[in-house]
Amino acid sequence: MTATDPALTALAQGWCALSLLHGRIEAHIERVLQAGHDLSVREYSLLDVLSRQHDGDGGHLQMKQVADAVVLSQSATTRLVTRLEDRGLLTRYLCPTDRRGIYTDVTEAGLTLLEEARPTNEAALREALDDAARNPELAPLVKAVETLGVPA
């Protein structure tokens, strides 16, 4: 393959379109969540992931699992958890069976904020996807996202 290989160019263009779609969606949701709920996209995602924990086997996530779920490094996730803990939206506690493990739970205030922000997030996502669907380069990606139907 050469640098001007059509397959390489198409692959690069596809990647750029996907990156553009992601960036536009995230920026729109960020603006709306910040304005309406004083939450960033990452903060919302963290609250959402942690709110899905349960007391059954494997129900609580370790920090590495949380970091993977919100697509951040462990250190960035720890800083994010600390910020939300300082706001009273999260609490940390030692794992009852492994004193080395630290778990994080969403507080009642965090759950309330998440439930208030969820419709805002969903509406902003819908708006961003509808806007992107009007762009011929992004429309096929929007259709793919809409037809996935796979829970994150």
Side-chain angles (χ1 to χ4, degrees), residues 1-6 8-9:
M1 283 190 184
T2 65
T4 57
D5 186 316
L8 240 176
T9 302

PDB file of all heavy atoms in Angstrom, residues 1-6 8-9:
ATOM      1  N   MET A   1       0.836  -1.184   0.000  1.00  0.00           N
ATOM      2  CA  MET A   1       0.000   0.000   0.000  1.00  0.00           C
ATOM      3  C   MET A   1       0.879   1.244   0.000  1.00  0.00           C
ATOM      4  O   MET A   1       1.853   1.315   0.710  1.00  0.00           O
ATOM      5  CB  MET A   1      -0.886   0.044   1.247  1.00  0.00           C
ATOM      6  CG  MET A   1      -2.069  -0.865   1.206  1.00  0.00           C
ATOM      7  SD  MET A   1      -3.132  -0.457   2.609  1.00  0.00           S
ATOM      8  CE  MET A   1      -4.333  -1.713   2.403  1.00  0.00           C
ATOM      9  N   THR A   2       0.445   2.213  -0.743  1.00  0.00           N
ATOM     10  CA  THR A   2       1.149   3.491  -0.772  1.00  0.00           C
ATOM     11  C   THR A   2       0.321   4.525  -0.036  1.00  0.00           C
ATOM     12  O   THR A   2      -0.846   4.298   0.290  1.00  0.00           O
ATOM     13  CB  THR A   2       1.373   3.954  -2.237  1.00  0.00           C
ATOM     14  OG1 THR A   2       0.092   4.206  -2.824  1.00  0.00           O
ATOM     15  CG2 THR A   2       2.123   2.915  -3.033  1.00  0.00           C
ATOM     16  N   ALA A   3       0.914   5.676   0.179  1.00  0.00           N
ATOM     17  CA  ALA A   3       0.221   6.739   0.905  1.00  0.00           C
ATOM     18  C   ALA A   3      -1.011   7.230   0.152  1.00  0.00           C
ATOM     19  O   ALA A   3      -1.919   7.799   0.758  1.00  0.00           O
ATOM     20  CB  ALA A   3       1.171   7.901   1.173  1.00  0.00           C
ATOM     21  N   THR A   4      -1.054   7.023  -1.145  1.00  0.00           N
ATOM     22  CA  THR A   4      -2.209   7.482  -1.920  1.00  0.00           C
ATOM     23  C   THR A   4      -3.149   6.341  -2.285  1.00  0.00           C
ATOM     24  O   THR A   4      -4.041   6.505  -3.102  1.00  0.00           O
ATOM     25  CB  THR A   4      -1.731   8.178  -3.217  1.00  0.00           C
ATOM     26  OG1 THR A   4      -0.914   7.263  -3.945  1.00  0.00           O
ATOM     27  CG2 THR A   4      -0.955   9.440  -2.912  1.00  0.00           C
ATOM     28  N   ASP A   5      -2.960   5.198  -1.672  1.00  0.00           N
ATOM     29  CA  ASP A   5      -3.817   4.044  -1.918  1.00  0.00           C
ATOM     30  C   ASP A   5      -5.272   4.416  -1.600  1.00  0.00           C
ATOM     31  O   ASP A   5      -5.564   4.907  -0.514  1.00  0.00           O
ATOM     32  CB  ASP A   5      -3.355   2.890  -1.022  1.00  0.00           C
ATOM     33  CG  ASP A   5      -4.093   1.598  -1.305  1.00  0.00           C
ATOM     34  OD1 ASP A   5      -5.322   1.647  -1.461  1.00  0.00           O
ATOM     35  OD2 ASP A   5      -3.432   0.555  -1.348  1.00  0.00           O
ATOM     36  N   PRO A   6      -6.213   4.197  -2.545  1.00  0.00           N
ATOM     37  CA  PRO A   6      -7.609   4.575  -2.318  1.00  0.00           C
ATOM     38  C   PRO A   6      -8.222   3.900  -1.082  1.00  0.00           C
ATOM     39  O   PRO A   6      -9.028   4.514  -0.378  1.00  0.00           O
ATOM     40  CB  PRO A   6      -8.315   4.117  -3.586  1.00  0.00           C
ATOM     41  CG  PRO A   6      -7.254   3.983  -4.615  1.00  0.00           C
ATOM     42  CD  PRO A   6      -5.986   3.678  -3.879  1.00  0.00           C
ATOM     43  N   LEU A   8      -6.663   3.057   1.687  1.00  0.00           N
ATOM     44  CA  LEU A   8      -6.146   3.768   2.853  1.00  0.00           C
ATOM     45  C   LEU A   8      -6.837   5.112   3.010  1.00  0.00           C
ATOM     46  O   LEU A   8      -7.214   5.500   4.120  1.00  0.00           O
ATOM     47  CB  LEU A   8      -4.641   3.998   2.675  1.00  0.00           C
ATOM     48  CG  LEU A   8      -3.697   3.398   3.698  1.00  0.00           C
ATOM     49  CD1 LEU A   8      -2.272   3.635   3.342  1.00  0.00           C
ATOM     50  CD2 LEU A   8      -4.023   3.728   5.092  1.00  0.00           C
ATOM     51  N   THR A   9      -7.019   5.813   1.914  1.00  0.00           N
ATOM     52  CA  THR A   9      -7.667   7.123   1.955  1.00  0.00           C
ATOM     53  C   THR A   9      -9.101   6.979   2.444  1.00  0.00           C
ATOM     54  O   THR A   9      -9.553   7.752   3.290  1.00  0.00           O
ATOM     55  CB  THR A   9      -7.629   7.774   0.562  1.00  0.00           C
ATOM     56  OG1 THR A   9      -6.264   7.873   0.154  1.00  0.00           O
ATOM     57  CG2 THR A   9      -8.248   9.147   0.579  1.00  0.00           C
TER      58      THR A   9
END
